[in-house]
Amino acid sequence: MLFSGLIDRRRIVLWLSLILLAGCLIAIMAPTFAVILLSQALVGISLGAFWAMGFSVAVELGAKEKTHKAAAAVFARVRAAMILGVPMGSLVAE
């Protein structure tokens, strides 16, 4: 977040999404447990930064008088992903 003022934040979000995808693909093809741990580190780093940048991008892209709605939309989707993601992941795993 400190250095993102110099770079287009939408590009940062795109790159973070690609890092997340790479981490997931590495986990799928991981031959050892150490590689899985590496992939999970990539996923964790990219997700944390993604949500921080996603919030700022949403506020930046929205109209100035509706920034509170943009922020609420981002956090509502984060909560929905957490609430629905665990049961869906368990369903797929079974």
Side-chain angles (χ1 to χ4, degrees), residues 59-90:
V59 170
E60 182 181 300
L61 291 178
K64 297 296 180 199
E65 64 274 356
K66 294 186 179 184
T67 56
H68 60 284
K69 288 187 179 186
V74 169
F75 286 119
R77 281 155 180 82
V78 171
R79 286 191 186 102
M82 289 181 191
I83 292 169
L84 299 174
V86 173
M88 290 178 75
S90 297

Side-chain angles (χ1 to χ4, degrees), residues 5-27:
L6 304 174
I7 304 170
D8 183 20
R9 291 182 178 150
R10 291 174 289 185
R11 287 185 184 226
I12 295 173
V13 170
L14 177 64
W15 278 105
L16 290 170
S17 298
L18 292 174
I19 293 169
L20 174 64
L21 178 63
C24 292
L25 292 175
I26 290 170

